[in-house]
Amino acid sequence: MLFYLLMIGFAISAAAPFFYRRFRAFFGWIAVSFPLFLFFSFSSFYPRISAGEVLRETVFWVPSLGINLSFLLDGLSFTFVLIITLVGAAVFLYAGTYMKHYEHAARFFVYIGLFMTSMLGLVLSDNIAAMFVFWELTSISSFLLIGFSHHKEQSRKSAIQALLVTGGGGLALLAGLILLSGISGTMEISELYPQHAMIVSSPLYPAAALLVMIGAFTKSAQFPFHFWLPNAMEAPTPVSAYLHSATMVKAGIYLLARMNHVLGGTALWQDSLLVVGAVTMVCSALLAFNQMDLKKLLAYSTLSVLGTLTMMIGIGSRLAIKAFFIYLIAHSLYKGTLFLVAGTIDHAAGTRDAGVLGGLGRAMPFTMATAILASFSMMGVIPLVGFIGKETLYASILELEEWGRYLIAAAVVANGLLVMITLVAGIRPFFGSMRRLPSVPHEAPFAMLAGPACLAFFGLLAGLFPDFFMGAMLDRLASSVLADTLTFRIKLWHGFNEVLFLSFLTLLCGMLFYAARVKLLPYLEGRHIPPVLKPSSWYDAALAGMLKVARWQTRMLQNGSLRNYITIIVVTAVALGVSALAGSFSAFPEIPALDVTFYEVAIVSIILVSILVLITSSSRLKAVITLGVTGFSIGIIFILYGAPDLALTTFAIETLGVILFVLVLYRLPRFTSYSTTASRVRDAVIAFVFGIFMALMVLFTVSGELDSGLKRYFAGASLPEGKGRNIVNVILVDFRAIDTLGEITVLAVAAIGVFAMLKLALKGGSR
Amino acid sequence: MTLLLALVIGCLYAAGIFLILRRNMVKVIFGLILLAHAANLLIFTVGRLTKGIPAFVPEGSGMLTGRFADPLPQALILTAIVIGFGVQAFTIVLFKRTWLTLGTEDLDMMKTTDEPPKE
């Protein structure tokens, strides 16, 4: 069932252009049925999942290697599936209208459908190979979507940056997962769970854990890999709302949560996640301080939230997992909304510059209401779900004994900055006086309002009735992440306590930061962080260095000179061959007895002399003649040793060859020698070594007995099965007839090539 | 005879490699042909030499027994000879075309796909 849902997803994505062409006017309403269909299909599992059941399904792929398309639907994947399809529904509907003015909008829906299905596959996969495939598919669809406006250089650059960073991390992840399956002997994630103790005590554990973390950090844009996410804002706004805030960037977080019980419980895992998460949470919120673009502001706040989620897994207590879950849901609901609102503002006012926007509320009342609802959730205002998220977050940090005091300060500052971002990006554009804008603002069409409004409203519902909407799922998710059966109660109101005080403090901080921002912005203009401190400039340097090495290597190895290639091939072949011979033969082969007749010696002498003449000849005609002599002599050897067919063919072909040569070479100028003496000596040495090696190889090969079953088979089967007495001929036209057909085809192709070159004039005329 | 043929094969390979490393394109074609000969003889020799007894089923007999030359390497070589000729014919004509178009047989002068500057 799960497998078929995914396959249907890929099929529908591929069919998007077909529908788009026919139903362009109201395509959003058709597109939305796709995520909604998946949403309701998966929702039908809700009773079973909430009762604690775990659904499994396996479609065999390469069972001999343990690679299967096996799927797992438990609390953790179910939570993500619902987020992906629900936010997907809002985004698809919105994009149906928003993308109308873009070229190739049909392509957009192919990419985003591909993304949604891959993301579902990623969170559903139980097999690490299958999960990696889906993981990379989300990276690729993200690349395609960031670079959607591919005529803009900045888009292309950002797309490649995102692909290289997440793709590089993907390789690290693959290495980590392979190590993990090496340690445990299984490819199924669910089979890794019971082996936790063994995995953690393995000497390979630190490497595996670090590699998996790097994979997750690049995907979820944790410090120092955070820089690609703000640049990814080049993508159309529905993409930013969907991939780069609500879903794809949470894939890394998902992986950490999924692997928490496999790799977690050690100081390495918990501390790394805690530190990296906390650093990302604070730094990225600070980086937002002087941003002016609505989408960039929201992107930095997304980074901060991703850091917070990583930190929650790092803390790893029951309360922290509870906070993780609520924060995850709250963020997907409000951030998806705010991005879509930013897109609507851009659409209506023609700009996303926070410094210019203001007073849109009168023209866009419904958008304003939606934005305020989502903003309140993001700021953590009671009674929205964001409030519960933040309360639980603070409570879980306060539980920590050692680090609690510092972390709570960091969390309050970071969340204060988030409040500031919300005030700038979500609230401010609707109030104050309206300035001159590029276009006259107007209320968004219904299709662009419905999605964000629903998401914001869900945020309110989840805040008012948290236990009803999230209680059962939280229990199941916590069981997956902590591998323990737990039951939680989620409440909106916990009474007047320390945490509530911190919530007020956060709001207060946010307003202070907002006031400070207004005052400080003029001073910050034109000031930048020195490039040495910016990980993005490390990326640029690494990329430039890599290209330099690639260019150097191409110049060295692929310089277009035939001689160079052949030299490398010959030297490599000799080196490998010598080491192989030395490995498998201990003694020099017995030299076969030299029982020869005088005419054999004569033939061999003729061949050797003609080769010598050929090499040294300064006349082209002489060289052609010696070449013919060599060929004919080889034909005579074939006659002597029982191969008359070979001899006849050789004679025929040598004759033709000589004629062809003479015809073509007849009217050519002097036969020039171009090489220098030094290069001739060097080539002679290479050729000499290679010749000795090949001669030795012949001696080594014939030193053993050859028992050819094929020889006996052909001798016996030729007449009864092939109806022929000449066994060589029977092999060619009967036993290996297809091979001969291939040979004829090659000849035909060569003949066409010859004809084309001789008869057909080149385009533009030949000289 | 195997020893002598090993010597011939070695010389053919050496000469072939030496010629294919030249700058003159005609010599490269010669080298190619010598390498084809070398490979054919190599297959022939490592399939073991049997003097004077071709793989024919004699009249009046249902199958061939006793000592006889191995037909399989011969069949392989036969294919190789013909294909070798195809390659040879193609390279010769390619050379001719190159000569007519570029006016040189020096491979080092054929490093770019750009048109040479017009005088």
Side-chain angles (χ1 to χ4, degrees):
Chain A
M1 175 72 177
L2 300 174
F3 173 72
Y4 289 112
L5 282 176
L6 290 182
M7 289 303 116
I8 290 172
F10 283 125
I12 293 181
S13 312
F18 174 79
F19 290 106
Y20 186 82
R21 235 169 285 138
R22 272 168 190 72
F23 310 105
R24 202 184 160 123
F26 50 100
F27 184 70
W29 295 102
I30 293 173
V32 72
S33 62
F34 172 30
L36 277 184
F37 158 72
L38 290 172
F39 177 78
F40 288 115
S41 306
F42 280 104
S43 296
S44 67
F45 296 116
Y46 180 76
R48 293 165 70 185
I49 300 290
S50 62
E53 208 179 322
V54 173
L55 299 173
R56 265 173 232 285
E57 189 179 299
T58 300
V59 175
F60 290 108
W61 190 4
V62 195
S64 55
L65 296 178
I67 296 172
N68 295 313
L69 289 169
S70 49
F71 301 106
L72 172 84
L73 190 62
D74 63 355
L76 181 60
S77 35
F78 195 70
T79 307
F80 273 91
V81 163
L82 293 193
I83 291 175
I84 294 164
T85 47
L86 194 63
V87 180
V91 167
F92 275 51
L93 179 59
Y94 183 93
T97 308
Y98 186 88
M99 296 304 293
K100 261 186 194 147
H101 307 294
Y102 279 78
E103 249 182 285
H104 308 302
R107 233 181 257 170
F108 173 86
F109 287 97
V110 177
Y111 297 160
I112 206 159
L114 170 73
F115 163 74
M116 182 172 70
T117 316
S118 319
M119 188 72 201
L120 287 173
L122 165 60
V123 298
L124 287 171
S125 290
D126 191 20
N127 189 289
I128 56 182
M131 187 178 77
F132 178 75
V133 170
F134 287 118
W135 177 279
E136 293 292 281
L137 273 176
T138 60
S139 287
I140 291 168
S141 41
S142 158
F143 164 77
L144 291 170
L145 286 165
I146 297 172
F148 189 73
S149 305
H150 50 76
H151 53 277
K152 289 193 221 150
E153 192 194 351
Q154 193 53 42
S155 278
R156 297 198 300 269
K157 242 171 114 174
S158 302
I160 288 199
Q161 189 181 54
L163 184 71
L164 287 180
V165 173
T166 56
L171 289 181
L173 172 68
L174 181 65
L177 292 176
I178 290 173
L179 279 183
L180 207 54
S181 83
I183 298 170
S184 61
T186 177
M187 300 280 273
E188 305 292 314
I189 295 168
S190 52
E191 288 172 18
L192 291 172
Y193 282 145
Q195 303 198 50
H196 172 246
M198 197 269 275
I199 290 171
V200 168
S201 57
S202 157
L204 288 174
Y205 165 76
L210 279 174
L211 287 167
V212 169
M213 276 191 261
I214 290 175
F217 290 167
T218 51
K219 194 81 164 180
S220 285
Q222 299 293 298
F223 188 85
F225 306 112
H226 61 277
F227 51 88
W228 71 264
L229 187 57
N231 289 337
M233 294 302 125
E234 286 296 325
T237 305
V239 176
S240 309
Y242 194 30
L243 275 73
H244 303 123
S245 81
T247 55
M248 191 196 84
V249 287
K250 296 213 173 82
I253 306 287
Y254 164 80
L255 181 78
L256 294 174
R258 176 60 78 199
M259 288 292 169
N260 186 51
H261 184 57
V262 179
L263 296 167
T266 61
L268 171 71
W269 179 265
Q270 308 298 152
D271 291 352
S272 308
L273 295 190
L274 190 105
V275 171
V276 171
V279 168
T280 311
M281 171 178 80
V282 177
C283 287
S284 41
L286 282 173
L287 284 173
F289 196 78
N290 64 344
Q291 297 293 327
M292 295 309 288
D293 181 4
L294 292 187
K295 280 177 75 178
K296 284 268 164 83
L297 277 161
L298 291 173
Y300 281 107
S301 76
T302 304
L303 282 175
S304 178
V305 170
L306 292 171
T308 312
L309 290 170
T310 307
M311 187 178 80
M312 289 293 101
I313 302 176
I315 292 174
S317 64
R318 298 180 43 179
L319 205 51
I321 297 303
K322 182 179 171 186
F324 168 83
F325 171 80
I326 303 172
Y327 216 72
L328 174 77
I329 292 182
H331 177 254
S332 303
L333 292 176
Y334 70 67
K335 192 55 67 63
T337 309
L338 285 178
F339 263 114
L340 293 180
V341 166
T344 310
I345 292 176
D346 190 11
H347 211 253
T351 177
R352 295 196 311 252
D353 187 345
V356 181
L357 290 166
L360 297 176
R362 254 152 295 154
M364 312 166 75
F366 294 108
T367 309
M368 178 174 78
T370 305
I372 288 178
L373 207 52
S375 299
F376 277 10
S377 187
M378 179 161 164
M379 290 194 286
V381 175
I382 200 163
L384 287 119
V385 67
F387 169 76
I388 312 177
K390 198 183 293 175
E391 294 254 295
T392 328
L393 167 73
Y394 287 158
S396 74
I397 296 176
L398 285 176
E399 267 189 351
L400 290 178
E401 286 167 6
E402 218 178 317
W403 292 87
R405 263 182 300 161
Y406 307 105
L407 270 187
I408 199 76
V412 169
V413 169
N415 276 289
L417 285 164
L418 289 192
V419 171
M420 177 203 82
I421 294 173
T422 323
L423 289 172
V424 176
I427 306 242
R428 176 72 181 78
F430 296 101
F431 295 94
S433 56
M434 204 199 294
R435 292 211 228 151
R436 182 189 286 277
L437 295 170
S439 61
V440 181
H442 53 87
E443 184 56 284
F446 181 64
M448 280 169 71
L449 264 177
C454 281
L455 291 183
F457 187 63
F458 287 144
L460 178 65
L461 279 183
L464 287 174
F465 312 103
D467 210 45
F468 175 75
F469 281 104
M470 305 188 289
M473 283 327 297
L474 170 57
D475 296 347
R476 297 285 87 77
L477 176 131
S479 326
S480 317
V481 177
L482 296 171
D484 199 356
T485 330
L486 302 165
T487 38
F488 292 93
R489 295 274 309 156
I490 315 177
K491 287 193 296 183
L492 177 64
W493 182 248
H494 286 265
F496 292 97
N497 54 15
E498 202 178 1
V499 172
L500 188 68
F501 164 72
L502 286 172
S503 278
F504 279 118
L505 189 63
T506 309
L507 286 177
L508 201 64
C509 278
M511 288 170 199
L512 283 177
F513 287 142
Y514 183 80
R517 178 185 145 99
V518 175
K519 289 262 184 291
L520 284 177
L521 269 184
Y523 298 99
L524 289 173
E525 208 161 334
R527 283 167 202 261
H528 297 289
I529 303 170
V532 192
L533 294 176
K534 282 167 76 178
S536 61
S537 51
W538 307 343
Y539 162 86
D540 290 336
L543 190 63
M546 199 168 75
L547 290 176
K548 218 168 164 182
V549 171
R551 248 177 253 127
W552 170 82
Q553 185 188 318
T554 309
R555 234 184 8 253
M556 296 298 294
L557 298 176
Q558 300 281 327
N559 58 359
S561 153
L562 177 70
R563 256 167 294 136
N564 202 8
Y565 298 159
I566 291 173
T567 312
I568 291 173
I569 291 171
V570 166
V571 171
T572 315
V574 171
L576 287 178
V578 166
S579 66
L581 283 184
S584 47
F585 290 92
S586 49
F588 197 78
E590 224 176 286
I591 302 290
L594 196 62
D595 51 340
V596 287
T597 53
F598 88 94
Y599 52 86
E600 286 171 346
V601 176
I603 300 261
V604 168
S605 313
I606 292 173
I607 296 180
L608 296 184
V609 169
S610 30
I611 293 174
L612 196 68
V613 174
L614 174 59
I615 297 176
T616 52
S617 159
S618 59
S619 144
R620 206 178 278 114
L621 197 61
K622 209 196 299 178
V624 171
I625 292 170
T626 53
L627 202 63
V629 171
T630 314
F632 274 93
S633 310
I634 289 173
I636 293 174
I637 294 179
F638 286 145
I639 293 191
L640 291 177
Y641 285 88
D645 299 287
L646 294 192
L648 288 175
T649 318
T650 307
F651 292 153
I653 279 182
E654 284 307 317
T655 315
L656 273 176
V658 170
I659 293 173
L660 191 62
F661 254 121
V662 172
L663 279 180
V664 169
L665 304 183
Y666 181 59
R667 257 187 297 216
L668 283 185
R670 247 171 52 77
F671 194 41
T672 344
S673 232
Y674 298 98
S675 314
T676 58
T677 318
S679 71
R680 250 181 259 189
V681 171
R682 187 198 60 207
D683 295 343
V685 171
I686 293 171
F688 185 70
V689 171
F690 188 67
I692 290 190
F693 169 72
M694 293 309 286
L696 280 180
M697 206 180 74
V698 172
L699 292 180
F700 273 111
T701 312
V702 297
S703 66
E705 277 301 309
L706 180 74
D707 179 38
S708 169
L710 283 172
K711 184 178 171 182
R712 259 172 285 131
Y713 167 77
F714 286 128
S718 174
L719 190 61
E721 287 179 28
K723 311 288 178 230
R725 294 186 182 278
N726 183 338
I727 302 180
V728 176
N729 286 0
V730 172
I731 291 176
L732 282 176
V733 299
D734 194 319
F735 295 116
R736 292 175 59 242
I738 301 284
D739 222 12
T740 308
L741 190 69
E743 171 198 340
I744 294 170
T745 315
V746 171
L747 274 191
V749 171
I752 292 170
V754 167
F755 181 77
M757 280 192 287
L758 284 182
K759 289 290 173 197
L760 305 179
L762 291 169
K763 236 186 197 167
S766 64
R767 271 177 289 160
Chain B
M1 187 62 182
T2 307
L3 186 62
L4 279 185
L5 280 187
L7 176 70
V8 171
I9 291 167
C11 289
L12 281 171
Y13 268 114
I17 291 290
F18 181 78
L19 285 175
I20 218 168
L21 291 174
R22 299 302 88 211
R23 277 168 69 180
N24 191 319
M25 194 173 164
V26 181
K27 289 191 179 174
V28 173
I29 300 175
F30 292 161
L32 214 57
I33 296 168
L34 285 191
L35 285 180
H37 283 319
N40 290 341
L41 267 187
L42 178 84
I43 299 172
F44 193 65
T45 314
V46 298
R48 304 301 187 272
L49 300 173
T50 311
K51 202 165 179 180
I53 315 170
F56 286 119
V57 182
E59 289 292 334
S61 163
M63 61 190 293
L64 183 60
T65 47
R67 249 170 64 83
F68 60 95
D70 193 339
L72 186 61
Q74 292 189 24
L76 294 176
I77 294 166
L78 206 57
T79 310
I81 292 174
V82 177
I83 289 189
F85 175 70
V87 173
Q88 180 186 339
F90 185 82
T91 41
I92 290 173
V93 177
L94 180 67
F95 164 73
K96 165 132 187 164
R97 190 79 236 174
T98 312
W99 172 259
L100 288 179
T101 313
L102 300 176
T104 179
E105 51 182 352
D106 183 358
L107 281 172
D108 281 9
M109 303 304 288
M110 305 176 193
K111 277 189 160 169
T112 168
T113 49
D114 297 340
E115 289 264 333
K118 293 218 168 71
E119 286 105 48

